[in-house]
Amino acid sequence: MKFLGGIFMLVLLAAVLSSAIAVVWTRHESRVLFVELTRLQNLRDDLNIEYGKLELEQATWAEPRRVDDEARQALGMVNPKPQDIQLVRR
């Protein structure tokens, strides 16, 4: 009977130790994942800021007045004279 009590105590000790190791490992994994989550959230925020800047830049480049100025300067485009305009009917 005394022998069974010793084995039972060893089994309980092993269960307690494995449970303690599992708790420590789970906490460590939780911290690692939290650090990764924080890093990814910071990256997301940085990308959102860059996206906003790019949207603003795109809106600036696509502004009709700027497109008109570029067409006139870079391509030498001009408004047609009234006599050069022809109306096409179908």
Side-chain angles (χ1 to χ4, degrees):
M1 190 69 142
K2 194 172 187 180
F3 179 72
L4 288 176
I7 290 177
F8 183 69
M9 290 299 279
L10 284 176
V11 169
L12 284 178
L13 179 64
V16 168
L17 286 176
S18 63
S19 175
I21 290 171
V23 167
V24 170
W25 183 79
T26 303
R27 278 193 168 196
H28 172 72
E29 283 298 309
S30 175
R31 287 183 180 127
V32 167
L33 291 173
F34 180 75
V35 167
E36 179 69 7
L37 174 65
T38 304
R39 185 186 69 78
L40 290 173
Q41 286 174 336
N42 289 338
L43 178 61
R44 179 205 57 202
D45 293 342
D46 292 343
L47 290 173
N48 279 335
I49 290 169
E50 183 179 353
Y51 181 73
K53 289 178 181 178
L54 290 172
E55 279 186 320
L56 181 62
E57 182 179 354
Q58 190 270 339
T60 302
W61 283 97
E63 185 179 316
R65 176 153 174 86
R66 187 176 189 305
V67 172
D68 185 57
D69 290 344
E70 282 293 315
R72 290 177 189 282
Q73 291 174 7
L75 303 175
M77 297 180 85
V78 294
N79 284 336
K81 298 175 186 161
Q83 62 268 23
D84 293 336
I85 298 175
Q86 293 184 6
L87 181 60
V88 179
R89 295 182 189 212
R90 291 189 178 205

